[in-house]
Amino acid sequence: MAQHSTGYTIGFAALVCVVCGVGIASAAVALADRQAENKKLDQQKQVLAVAGLMKEGEVLKPEEVKKRFADNIKPEVVDLKGGVAAQGVDPASFDQRKAQKDPAQSREAPPNNAKVLRLPNNALVYKVMKDGKVDTLILPIEGYGLWSTLYGFLALDAKDANTVKGITFYQHGETPGLGGEVDNPKWKALWPGRKIYDDKGTPQIGVVKGQAGPPASDPYRVDGLSGATITSNGVSNLVKFWFGPDGFGPYIQHLKAAGGK
Ligand SMILES: Cc1cc2nc3c(=O)[nH]c(=O)nc-3n(C[C@H](O)[C@H](O)[C@H](O)COP(=O)(O)O)c2cc1C
């Protein structure tokens, strides 16, 4: 075939496509395990950070993360509707985000301001253990901001199942400097000490426009993110949703009834 013929050019381009395609596919398959391992490690770091077991900016080797996690954290799969531990589901292999997309393991969410479309039947929570007792509960939260779904964790004092110990968002697509300030350690530091529920057991906590007072005198309000009221409202909505009757409300009721055990 002549080197500059149309057939040669198309054939050469097709060959390059096939070679590159095989290369990329092989790399994706070969690196899949490592990607899954890194994802798991990142989740463990997020859980340690919101639990206060890893300081802001602290750098840990993967083995140190795994050890600190194993020494302090007990993962548990919770049946959301029943509010009790799910039977026969291994927390080590349970993937809540995957379950949420699987029609066999999830249901349509009732209309909600957090814009959560599907609810997993089971959710993965983490218990921070201290002297053999549950010290802190770490619950996954998610909901829509302005541009994206924000994914994070909220840490709750197990003693009253009401006092916030920390919040973090590990994945979102909000604008850096505006809604992206949900990542700002100074803003996250405004959460500990606030209360989720009022005396009637209704989730009251919310991000307000402007400034809130200190937790002791203004327990249900957190400073708004300046220039980012839509993301701020999104955070209020998602926290209220996940601590309400369609989220972890039944689980928290059971824990309170059992005296936080
Ligand atoms: C490019 C661009 C990016 C923005 N990103 C965000 C954002 O991530 N979160 C947000 O709430 N508002 C964002 N806004 C602002 C919103 O459109 C809206 O004006 C704001 O949420 C209102 O908040 P404020 O009343 O505190 O000013 C963005 C605006 C522009 C032009």
Side-chain angles (χ1 to χ4, degrees):
M1 196 186 293
Q3 212 170 339
H4 298 295
S5 71
T6 307
Y8 176 86
T9 306
I10 292 172
F12 186 77
L15 184 69
V16 170
C17 287
V18 169
V19 170
C20 291
V22 169
I24 291 169
S26 311
V29 170
L31 295 174
D33 285 352
R34 205 187 296 176
Q35 276 179 347
E37 179 69 14
N38 283 343
K39 203 173 136 198
K40 192 173 168 190
L41 206 63
D42 186 59
Q43 287 284 295
Q44 293 188 341
K45 274 191 208 164
Q46 296 294 336
V47 170
L48 289 175
V50 76
L53 293 166
M54 198 174 147
K55 290 187 195 78
E56 197 69 45
E58 188 177 1
V59 181
L60 290 179
K61 290 191 185 121
E63 312 82 67
E64 290 169 328
V65 173
K66 284 182 202 162
K67 183 173 181 334
R68 207 175 282 187
F69 187 89
D71 287 349
N72 296 284
I73 312 282
K74 193 173 152 196
E76 182 176 80
V77 180
V78 171
D79 168 353
L80 271 185
K81 250 188 183 168
V84 290
Q87 296 304 311
V89 190
D90 179 11
S93 57
F94 178 72
D95 184 336
Q96 184 179 322
R97 301 262 294 263
K98 232 183 208 170
Q100 200 165 1
K101 289 187 199 137
D102 176 0
Q105 296 187 70
S106 63
R107 61 193 160 94
E108 200 178 316
N112 63 85
N113 293 335
K115 297 188 187 152
V116 172
L117 301 177
R118 296 199 70 78
L119 271 173
N121 298 338
N122 296 326
L124 184 58
V125 309
Y126 300 91
K127 291 174 165 177
V128 183
M129 306 304 291
K130 214 174 188 178
D131 306 322
K133 283 193 185 143
V134 185
D135 180 68
T136 308
L137 290 166
I138 295 172
L139 308 176
I141 48 176
E142 64 167 81
Y144 215 75
L146 173 60
W147 306 114
S148 67
T149 300
L150 294 98
Y151 295 91
F153 292 110
L154 193 140
L156 206 60
D157 194 329
K159 281 191 278 303
D160 62 359
N162 194 16
T163 306
V164 177
K165 289 182 101 175
I167 192 166
T168 191
F169 290 99
Y170 61 85
Q171 189 187 328
H172 67 80
E174 303 300 272
T175 311
L178 293 169
E181 288 295 289
V182 291
D183 287 338
N184 189 327
K186 283 190 190 148
W187 184 73
K188 292 193 285 186
L190 299 171
W191 286 77
R194 312 267 170 197
K195 307 284 179 198
I196 300 276
Y197 297 104
D198 63 14
D199 296 341
K200 294 191 181 109
T202 307
Q204 279 299 344
I205 193 153
V207 181
V208 295
K209 203 168 162 79
Q211 278 195 326
S217 57
D218 202 0
Y220 303 118
R221 301 174 351 126
V222 178
D223 290 12
L225 297 164
S226 117
T229 299
I230 303 173
T231 305
S232 302
N233 290 345
V235 173
S236 302
N237 293 336
L238 71 89
V239 174
K240 284 196 175 89
F241 176 79
W242 283 102
F243 285 86
D246 296 308
F248 292 105
Y251 178 60
I252 287 169
Q253 288 302 322
H254 272 112
L255 285 172
K256 277 189 178 162
K261 285 186 198 95

